[in-house]
Amino acid sequence: FEWFQNALVIIKRKEKWKLVTKHIPFKFEASVSDDDKATLYLHGTVGGYWEGINFNDVRNALASFQGNEIEVHINSYGGDMFEGIAIKNFFSQRKETVTVIIDGLAASAASIIAMGADKILMPKDTQLMIHNPWTFAYGNAKELRKVADDLEKAQVSVEETYLKRFKGDREELKALLDEETFLTADEAVTLGLADGIYGEDEPEEASNDAETNVLDSLMAKYGTDEHEDKGKRNIERFAFLFTQKRGEQ
């Protein structure tokens, strides 16, 4: 299938699933500046299967680098989850300081790559998208049940990746993954999935005031004085998703 070579995004709208093909032109560039900073551009689909962003190219590009800082620019709808996890782990194991800058969108496997950075920065107009792993499958009932079992195991890998940064607990994260959530830069910072807005000062520490209900509790954990009104609007949406999820259990 020719269209399968592009990253695929499933968007849920009014209880109906719409399959949308998305394509960002492939761009893989690596350079080293005079101040010993390496810069990588990872644009396009994640995964060697699609001749896109892959672990071997990233590793080879940095094989002889001995500087102090790596800056990674990402713009991708995602792709192969385990390729993304491999690249994420490669960045997290580097001795240099790794900074990821989201150039447009870091969705799905691309958002996983971003989680390997020491610092994630997002310009105001960029987004991060997180969701549950999914796949295409065919076969008999036994084979399809195995696919479902494998997806549940992949789900654990995805959750562990985000939980290293996410300010909430696993159930709150699952609520966002279930909804295939697109996060603005401010929302990603509020939830701990990004560290700051590119070009702005570092965000202030979150308030530690504890409250009893879900909304106030989430606000106490994730909100900041600097973005109080905006954070409240963000958390109202997340709290609604979380309470809905609990009501279904």
Side-chain angles (χ1 to χ4, degrees), residues 24-78:
I24 292 174
F26 175 70
K27 177 181 180 180
F28 181 89
E29 292 181 2
S31 62
V32 178
S33 63
D34 293 336
D35 57 353
D36 290 332
K37 181 177 80 172
T39 302
L40 294 178
Y41 282 87
L42 308 181
H43 289 195
T45 306
V46 177
Y49 180 84
W50 295 290
E51 298 182 352
I53 303 162
N54 65 83
F55 171 80
N56 286 334
D57 284 349
V58 173
R59 180 191 59 186
N60 292 338
L62 296 172
S64 60
F65 178 65
Q66 296 182 350
N68 298 314
E69 185 178 355
I70 300 172
E71 183 176 284
V72 183
H73 292 256
I74 295 177
N75 189 26
S76 171
Y77 287 106

Side-chain angles (χ1 to χ4, degrees), residues 45-222:
T45 306
V46 177
Y49 180 84
W50 295 290
E51 298 182 352
I53 303 162
N54 65 83
F55 171 80
N56 286 334
D57 284 349
V58 173
R59 180 191 59 186
N60 292 338
L62 296 172
S64 60
F65 178 65
Q66 296 182 350
N68 298 314
E69 185 178 355
I70 300 172
E71 183 176 284
V72 183
H73 292 256
I74 295 177
N75 189 26
S76 171
Y77 287 106
D80 187 308
M81 182 193 77
F82 287 110
E83 193 85 38
I85 289 175
I87 297 171
K88 183 269 293 184
N89 287 331
F90 175 73
F91 285 144
S92 67
Q93 294 163 16
R94 298 287 302 193
K95 61 179 175 50
E96 303 89 350
T97 298
V98 179
T99 300
V100 160
I101 298 174
I102 309 303
D103 289 340
L105 173 68
S108 190
S111 71
I112 290 175
I113 292 175
M115 298 299 114
D118 298 296
K119 180 182 290 186
I120 301 172
L121 300 176
M122 299 176 64
K124 278 280 192 179
D125 54 356
T126 63
Q127 294 196 15
L128 192 79
M129 188 274 273
I130 62 175
H131 68 157
N132 295 324
W134 61 276
T135 188
F136 290 104
Y138 64 91
N140 59 40
K142 183 177 181 179
E143 291 168 332
L144 292 178
R145 289 190 187 98
K146 184 180 186 306
V147 170
D149 290 340
D150 291 343
L151 279 176
E152 288 181 351
K153 293 179 181 179
Q155 174 76 24
V156 175
S157 296
V158 169
E159 291 170 7
E160 292 301 326
T161 294
Y162 296 122
L163 282 171
K164 291 182 179 180
R165 281 182 157 269
F166 185 61
K167 291 183 178 179
D169 59 32
R170 189 180 296 270
E171 290 306 312
E172 292 165 349
L173 175 63
K174 284 182 176 181
L176 299 181
L177 293 171
D178 286 346
E179 291 296 322
E180 190 161 291
T181 305
F182 282 79
L183 300 169
T184 66
D186 285 306
E187 290 170 339
V189 171
T190 299
L191 294 176
L193 296 178
D195 297 294
I197 306 302
Y198 184 72
E200 292 189 359
D201 294 334
E202 294 289 333
E204 297 179 8
E205 291 295 325
S207 167
N208 291 320
D209 296 333
E211 300 293 343
T212 55
N213 63 47
V214 174
L215 172 59
D216 289 338
S217 177
L218 292 174
M219 277 298 295
K221 285 193 290 185
Y222 312 140

